Amino acid sequence: MPEKLKLLSWRDIVFVALPSLLLAIGAFWLAAQFIQPAPPDRLIVSTGSESGAYQRFAARYKDVLARYGIELVAKISAGSPENLQRLRDPGFEVDAAFIQGGTARAGEDDELVSLGDFYHEPLWIFYRETALRGGDKLLDLKGMRIAVGGAGSGTQQLAMELLAANGIDARNTKLIEAGGMDLVERLQKRQIDAVFAVGPTQSALVWSLLYTPGVRLMSLTHAEAYTRRFPYLTRLVLPRGAIDLTEDIPPRDVQLVSPLATLLVREDTHPALIDLLMQAAGEVHGEPGVFQKPNEFPRAGHSGFPLSKEAERYYKSGKPFLQRYLPFWAATLIDRMVVMLVPLLAVLLPLFKFAPQLYGWRVRSRIYRRYGELKFLENEVNENPAAHTRAEWLEKLDRIEADASHIRTPLTFSDMLYTLRVHIDLVRDIILRRTTA
């Protein structure tokens, strides 16, 4: 092929390929606006006191997330109220936080979502047997020295609500802001008369007090009434001997009330990290316990905050499909790439279909243009053959033929070019018949 024709053929290709490339780049850019960045390799969780259940559960989460290459950082706090404050503060670096049910309500400007109910957090009320004989009502604690939990803790908030419902306040009872393991010793030394504690059975403080001589666990006669007055509470029964059959702890069935613990995350927390948190929660909280059956938790709940979309999907479908068969990094990479591929395919598939047609139209249009010139010349000859001499008519036809011989045409369209030349010869015959020399 002559160099000129090669150049013209490449121009046809560029004419089609360049817009196609620009469309593909535009689709890629548009998809990139919606693609999630790669998940960070660190997750920060606000927990509770150093010896509390939140901190212990966070340590177990850390082991689970480490298997996926994610580092979990647990930040100690005073409890649920401070955890909520940290989440609401955009300047505080925290992704998730444990929250005790009933201690938080969603605000109008909140960008927080819940991952569901994770486990029961019973309220335990311990008292010295010598200070109170057989007490089963909170009203029996009036006038005593009561440790209601540390300042700013969820325990204190729940304790104050229940005490206030019984007419107990700082004016008629000594309410002590204190929590932690030193309460065991203070009870034994008779420095305090009763202790409020919130947490699972395995909580260090609860476990120690259950085994402390001379300390008794209160069974709430009005437990059902409290659940009606405070809807975030549920009534639980700790069966006799459920803690220790040998020691017969507790020595009787005990009625308790309990909020539910949840985990709140910011809405902008990476979805892949939320998926991992849900898997960790299923592994840690799905075990059977004194107050729960196997796989009863976590579950979709009503914590006062909207349920995360990722959590909702987890409760319906379980572990994400790709993560069931691929390593975490590969599954998240494919998830992100799918967002890119969908719009690209939406653009490229039609391009693959129409680009050859566009290229063919461009080539055929040059041949059709010569056909138009040829038809116009034929009509002129038929209508007024004497308008020009035969030589002049043939000269016009030769120009069309010379122009046609230089049309850049791929082999696929060669038949159209040869057909054009045949028709040029037909018009030449007409000129020879209708004109004189």
Side-chain angles (χ1 to χ4, degrees):
M1 181 185 292
E3 290 299 322
K4 183 178 180 181
L5 294 186
K6 287 182 180 179
L7 179 61
L8 294 175
S9 297
W10 275 109
R11 285 179 180 173
D12 285 331
I13 295 174
V14 170
F15 177 83
V16 176
L18 186 58
S20 302
L21 179 62
L22 292 176
L23 277 174
I25 293 174
F28 186 87
W29 178 85
L30 183 63
Q33 308 309 305
F34 299 96
I35 190 173
Q36 283 280 352
D41 57 5
R42 189 173 74 151
L43 178 71
I44 302 175
V45 178
S46 186
T47 56
S49 64
E50 192 168 358
S51 60
Y54 293 159
Q55 188 71 9
R56 184 172 59 83
F57 285 132
R60 297 188 62 185
Y61 283 23
K62 184 174 184 177
D63 293 338
V64 176
L65 267 62
R67 299 202 300 261
Y68 300 96
I70 305 298
E71 177 193 8
L72 186 142
V73 178
K75 291 196 173 183
I76 296 172
S77 75
S80 291
E82 184 177 359
N83 288 346
L84 184 64
Q85 184 180 358
R86 288 177 175 181
L87 279 175
R88 285 174 170 164
D89 183 357
F92 200 93
E93 190 179 4
V94 64
D95 302 301
F98 286 98
I99 300 293
Q100 176 185 308
T103 60
R105 293 288 184 273
E108 292 184 2
D109 300 327
D110 274 347
E111 295 182 351
L112 307 177
V113 290
S114 167
L115 301 189
D117 295 334
F118 277 22
Y119 62 92
H120 289 293
E121 281 195 298
L123 171 65
W124 310 80
I125 304 173
F126 295 95
Y127 60 90
R128 289 189 300 107
E129 286 184 310
T130 56
L132 180 65
R133 296 288 182 178
D136 59 3
K137 298 188 294 294
L138 285 179
L139 190 58
D140 295 332
L141 299 177
K142 189 174 182 178
M144 295 188 177
R145 298 165 298 176
I146 308 172
V148 293
S153 67
T155 298
Q156 184 181 100
Q157 185 170 331
L158 176 57
M160 297 304 291
E161 285 185 347
L162 294 183
L163 290 172
N166 287 273
I168 300 175
D169 55 33
R171 292 171 297 181
N172 53 41
T173 303
K174 186 172 183 179
L175 305 179
I176 303 167
E177 288 188 346
M181 292 298 297
D182 65 328
L183 293 179
V184 178
E185 183 179 357
R186 294 178 68 178
L187 265 177
Q188 291 177 316
K189 291 182 176 181
R190 300 185 178 186
Q191 296 174 354
I192 54 177
D193 302 309
V195 169
F196 280 70
V198 172
T201 312
Q202 303 88 341
S203 172
L205 176 59
V206 172
W207 196 260
S208 298
L209 288 173
L210 285 169
Y211 281 90
T212 301
V215 173
R216 191 178 180 90
L217 175 62
M218 179 178 286
S219 179
L220 295 173
T221 298
H222 297 140
E224 189 64 34
Y226 291 133
T227 64
R228 304 299 175 86
R229 187 159 183 173
F230 304 100
Y232 60 86
L233 295 176
T234 55
R235 174 180 170 272
L236 298 177
V237 175
L238 179 65
R240 177 175 181 173
I243 302 299
D244 192 322
L245 288 170
T246 304
E247 299 291 334
D248 194 24
I249 300 175
R252 57 176 176 152
D253 287 355
V254 177
Q255 291 192 102
L256 305 172
V257 291
S258 173
L260 287 162
T262 187
L263 196 66
L264 295 186
V265 298
R266 289 173 172 167
E267 280 186 329
D268 58 0
T269 301
H270 199 287
L273 294 183
I274 296 179
D275 286 334
L276 288 184
L277 280 174
M278 294 306 303
Q279 294 173 48
E283 188 172 326
V284 173
H285 304 296
E287 301 171 347
V290 175
F291 300 115
Q292 65 192 60
K293 298 176 181 179
N295 301 316
E296 182 179 349
F297 292 101
R299 66 190 184 196
H302 307 285
S303 63
F305 290 84
L307 188 64
S308 160
K309 293 179 181 178
E310 288 74 21
E312 185 176 2
R313 187 187 67 233
Y314 177 85
Y315 291 125
K316 290 180 180 178
S317 310
K319 193 174 183 179
F321 177 78
L322 290 176
Q323 291 187 34
R324 299 175 193 174
Y325 306 101
L326 296 173
F328 173 72
W329 68 267
T332 54
L333 178 63
I334 293 175
D335 267 340
R336 295 166 59 225
M337 289 302 102
V338 165
V339 179
M340 303 291 289
L341 290 176
V342 169
L344 282 178
L345 291 176
V347 172
L348 292 179
L349 287 179
L351 280 179
F352 285 134
K353 180 178 180 180
F354 293 111
Q357 298 180 15
L358 179 62
Y359 179 75
W361 169 82
R362 183 169 171 80
V363 173
R364 285 192 296 269
S365 66
R366 289 194 291 270
I367 298 176
Y368 292 153
R369 187 160 60 247
R370 274 66 183 188
Y371 265 112
E373 296 172 358
L374 185 63
K375 183 62 178 176
F376 183 75
L377 179 62
E378 180 185 4
N379 290 339
E380 280 189 317
V381 171
N382 288 329
E383 292 173 2
N384 189 10
H388 299 284
T389 64
R390 177 184 292 175
E392 290 173 336
W393 288 119
L394 290 175
E395 183 181 357
K396 288 187 176 183
L397 184 62
D398 289 342
R399 285 199 296 269
I400 295 175
E401 184 176 24
D403 195 17
S405 65
H406 289 88
I407 295 177
R408 52 194 183 279
T409 308
L411 290 175
T412 308
F413 301 93
S414 296
D415 57 336
M416 297 181 64
L417 185 59
Y418 283 109
T419 302
L420 173 60
R421 290 176 176 175
V422 171
H423 291 160
I424 289 174
D425 289 338
L426 291 176
V427 174
R428 182 175 282 108
D429 291 341
I430 294 173
I431 292 174
L432 293 174
R433 289 197 311 270
R434 299 293 301 276
T435 62
T436 57

